Amino acid sequence: MDTPASTLARYKMFIGGEWVEAASREHFESDNPFTGKPWALIPKGGAQDADRAVRAAHKAFTSGDWPKLNPSKRGALLRKLGDLVVEKSKFLAEVEVRDNGKLYAEMSAQTAYMAQWYYYYGGLADKIEGHVIPTDKPEMLNYTRYEPLGVIAAITPWNSPLLLTAWKLAPALAAGNTVVFKPSEFTSASVLELMKLIEQAGIPPGVVNVVTGFGADVGMPLVEHPLVSKVAFTGSDRTGTLIYQTAARGMKRVSMELGGKSPNIVFDDAHMENAVKGVVSGIFAATGQTCIAGSRLLVQESVHDAFVEKLVAFAKTAKMGNPMSLDTQVGPVTNPPQYQKILDYIDIARGEGAKPVLGGGKATRPECGGGWFVEPTIFTGVRNSMRIAQEEVFGPVLAVIPFRDEEEAVAIGNDVVYGLAAGVWTQSMRRSLMMAERLQAGTVWVNTYRAVSYLSPFGGYKRSGLGRESGQEMIKDYMQVKSVWISTATEVPNPFILR
Ligand code: NAD
């Protein structure tokens, strides 16, 4: 039976400090992945709403309270926002689970942890210093200033809505910009809830705005808008390419956090039990719906069969079910198109001759309710040239590929268009250092997987992206440098000669 629209939570967009409907007055439904039923109505924004939000952000950037705030005061507002995120972390986690299907056990810790981005960049806001340049010109003072870019359009995917929002919002505001967010049409609710905390923190109206809707309707008008200075994008490399091309026409800056096909590489000298856990966390945590999923398992031939046996035995025990239950380990897939895509890739892998040694289809266990569940799936007999080894599935599907030695592990590990992350399991220090150096990936984990922090740069090599998020350096990606020359000479010299 359909859920009556009157019982659904009804959201509004946040533009210029006001809660507003879309210009079209239309809504679309947001589904709960565990029940497979709608739970909320989200305004269906369009180009007119995108324009309104960009104009509000531009106004807030150029006039009013925000440009008058010094960096220390901006920092204080961000730290206040961090406090509110901690205070509301359980509630934010519940909304995220309802909208996205992620595990409450993971989200309740993650929503509290994400406050660290607001604290960290709040602290960094007043530590971005220009330089006095030791100039070669006589009677001249030359110094640099770091200034904000203007309006940032931030476009995010559905797999980690609030965390990825924090990764963009905290440095963008610390640098003095204003922002328009376009969350994924599958998971807009938690970001709209966050806007209530933006209001409470006292961040001036128009500094942060959210326009909800579909990519072509809202995302593209934001990318094309002449008053947008930078597009900060996280999503698929297909959409990223389109956005990059469009942004180039307006000479806008971009940062791109895109997909991956990361190798998790197990050598014969690895601590096997730890490696099994690391491989499982790489592919079955978050139901494999993470950009950093270790979706290719490279195992040294000498331990291949024994390792796969241990891995299957452990992965088989994963408890599926309601993502709100604290003992659930594998939750649902977030949305029907993604569910279908994963099932299609399972068929493709079979068609390519790969052999499923675990799972291999829909999960129909009673505890999976009416949701979109896929059995944790492991394929052996995979060659790296197969589609299942080259293309991002974004689900709980692991492709196992044997290798002979270090040289071959590096060659296979790097033989994909992506370069987001890699895992290495070995007890050899020499091998750890050598692999960390030779793997073409923005992050390499040795004897661990899935560690991220506000302190450490994150981003992709090759088609996995442009630029980095987190850490100190990247705040300058939200700024531009100005060189100021001041003459102390009493007389202007020959005006026809470059000085
Ligand atoms: P997607 O590219 O389909 O959508 C991402 C966002 O772009 C959504 O908000 C969507 O509405 C918007 N969009 C879609 N078409 C658009 C268009 N023509 N113009 C402007 N905006 C448009 O990606 P998704 O399916 O939501 O997310 C999954 C992808 O995100 C995976 O590839 C995953 O690897 C990637 N991802 C990367 C990282 C990272 O940090 N590298 C993190 C999380 C997810």
Side-chain angles (χ1 to χ4, degrees):
M1 208 176 74
D2 289 345
T3 316
S6 58
T7 62
L8 303 180
R10 206 181 169 91
Y11 280 94
K12 289 186 176 173
M13 302 193 287
F14 189 63
I15 299 179
E18 288 174 11
W19 293 95
V20 296
E21 298 287 0
S24 67
R25 317 293 296 175
E26 288 178 48
H27 291 81
F28 59 92
E29 289 174 344
S30 199
D31 298 328
N32 177 336
F34 177 56
T35 61
K37 297 218 164 70
W39 74 277
L41 289 172
I42 307 292
K44 188 168 180 295
Q48 208 179 322
D49 304 291
D51 178 62
R52 185 172 166 195
V54 172
R55 287 185 190 284
H58 188 254
K59 188 170 165 213
F61 181 72
T62 49
S63 60
D65 291 339
W66 185 245
K68 288 190 213 132
L69 283 182
N70 65 42
S72 303
K73 291 202 167 128
R74 288 203 303 267
L77 284 179
L78 278 168
R79 292 195 293 278
K80 173 97 174 85
L81 178 61
D83 287 345
L84 291 167
V85 167
V86 172
E87 213 175 278
K88 287 277 178 193
S89 60
K90 297 268 182 290
F91 170 73
L92 291 172
E94 279 168 30
V95 177
E96 196 91 307
V97 172
R98 202 175 305 138
D99 215 18
N100 166 291
K102 281 198 137 175
L103 301 185
Y104 184 74
E106 177 166 304
M107 287 317 300
S108 52
Q110 199 183 86
T111 45
Y113 182 59
M114 73 183 60
Q116 295 302 328
W117 273 264
Y118 298 110
Y119 294 142
Y120 179 77
Y121 286 103
L124 195 55
D126 57 6
K127 293 168 193 67
I128 308 302
E129 296 170 349
H131 299 284
V132 175
I133 311 289
T135 178
D136 55 330
K137 318 283 180 204
E139 298 177 295
M140 197 75 91
L141 170 66
N142 177 210
Y143 64 91
T144 54
R145 292 168 45 80
Y146 282 90
E147 298 181 352
L149 296 172
V151 178
I152 310 296
I155 302 179
T156 49
W158 45 262
N159 65 316
S160 276
L162 282 175
L163 185 66
L164 299 175
T165 297
W167 290 14
K168 295 173 177 24
L169 184 58
L173 294 190
N177 301 285
T178 59
V179 188
V180 178
F181 266 95
K182 207 298 276 174
S184 167
E185 55 274 28
F186 295 111
T187 53
S188 305
S190 57
V191 177
L192 290 169
E193 293 290 351
L194 181 74
M195 293 306 110
K196 296 179 186 163
L197 308 188
I198 294 276
E199 275 186 307
Q200 274 181 46
I203 293 174
V207 172
V208 188
N209 309 271
V210 177
V211 190
T212 50
F214 293 80
D217 299 347
V218 175
M220 203 31 92
L222 288 177
V223 176
E224 287 167 341
H225 203 293
L227 293 178
V228 165
S229 302
K230 168 173 173 159
V231 183
F233 176 74
T234 301
S236 64
D237 63 318
R238 193 178 51 80
T239 310
T241 305
L242 190 65
I243 289 177
Y244 193 13
Q245 286 168 336
T246 310
R249 287 203 290 276
M251 205 54 79
K252 296 178 207 297
R253 293 173 187 228
V254 294
S255 59
M256 296 274 158
E257 295 287 355
L258 309 176
K261 195 74 198 176
S262 302
N264 212 346
I265 305 172
V266 178
F267 285 97
D268 58 5
D269 66 349
H271 183 299
M272 290 298 155
E273 279 68 32
N274 285 348
V276 164
K277 287 188 193 156
V279 171
V280 164
S281 104
I283 190 65
F284 299 132
T287 317
Q289 301 173 114
T290 75
C291 52
I292 50 180
S295 50
R296 290 184 300 148
L297 167 61
L298 276 50
V299 195
Q300 197 152 18
E301 276 170 359
S302 47
V303 291
H304 176 278
D305 292 355
F307 188 79
V308 169
E309 197 178 313
K310 276 186 202 295
L311 177 67
V312 169
F314 185 75
K316 228 182 217 164
T317 64
K319 191 170 177 318
M320 302 183 82
N322 188 342
M324 280 305 289
S325 305
L326 290 178
D327 59 348
T328 297
Q329 292 166 317
V330 178
V333 172
T334 300
N335 57 70
Q338 184 58 28
Y339 180 56
Q340 192 51 52
K341 179 178 160 194
I342 298 169
L343 296 175
D344 289 347
Y345 267 108
I346 289 175
D347 288 345
I348 289 168
R350 278 207 179 87
E352 289 179 308
K355 184 168 162 251
V357 289
L358 181 71
K362 294 177 186 176
T364 50
R365 313 175 189 192
E367 59 271 31
C368 293
W372 307 304
F373 282 84
V374 176
E375 286 289 345
T377 296
I378 300 177
F379 280 106
T380 55
V382 176
R383 288 185 313 282
N384 199 51
S385 55
M386 290 179 178
R387 286 184 66 189
I388 196 64
Q390 290 289 319
E391 298 173 20
E392 189 184 43
V393 177
F394 219 58
V397 182
L398 181 67
V400 187
I401 304 166
F403 68 87
R404 267 188 320 279
D405 52 18
E406 287 175 6
E407 207 52 43
E408 197 180 29
V410 171
I412 297 174
N414 289 338
D415 185 18
V416 281
V417 294
Y418 298 109
L420 193 59
V424 178
W425 297 86
T426 175
Q427 297 192 64
S428 154
M429 181 60 79
R430 182 201 61 77
R431 198 170 245 177
S432 306
L433 294 170
M434 187 280 296
M435 293 300 286
E437 186 178 319
R438 295 186 66 193
L439 287 168
Q440 295 161 358
T443 298
V444 177
W445 291 293
V446 179
N447 296 329
T448 184
Y449 206 86
R450 253 187 127 218
V452 288
S453 166
Y454 52 96
L455 298 162
S456 185
F458 178 87
Y461 280 32
K462 305 195 283 187
R463 279 195 77 79
S464 288
L466 288 171
R468 294 292 179 269
E469 294 191 307
S470 303
Q472 276 188 45
E473 289 303 313
M474 62 76 58
I475 195 166
K476 291 196 175 147
D477 291 352
Y478 283 97
M479 307 187 97
Q480 51 198 335
V481 65
K482 179 182 279 172
S483 180
V484 181
W485 295 84
I486 298 179
S487 170
T488 53
T490 49
E491 203 178 310
V492 174
N494 183 349
F496 297 101
I497 294 172
L498 179 74
R499 294 196 72 204

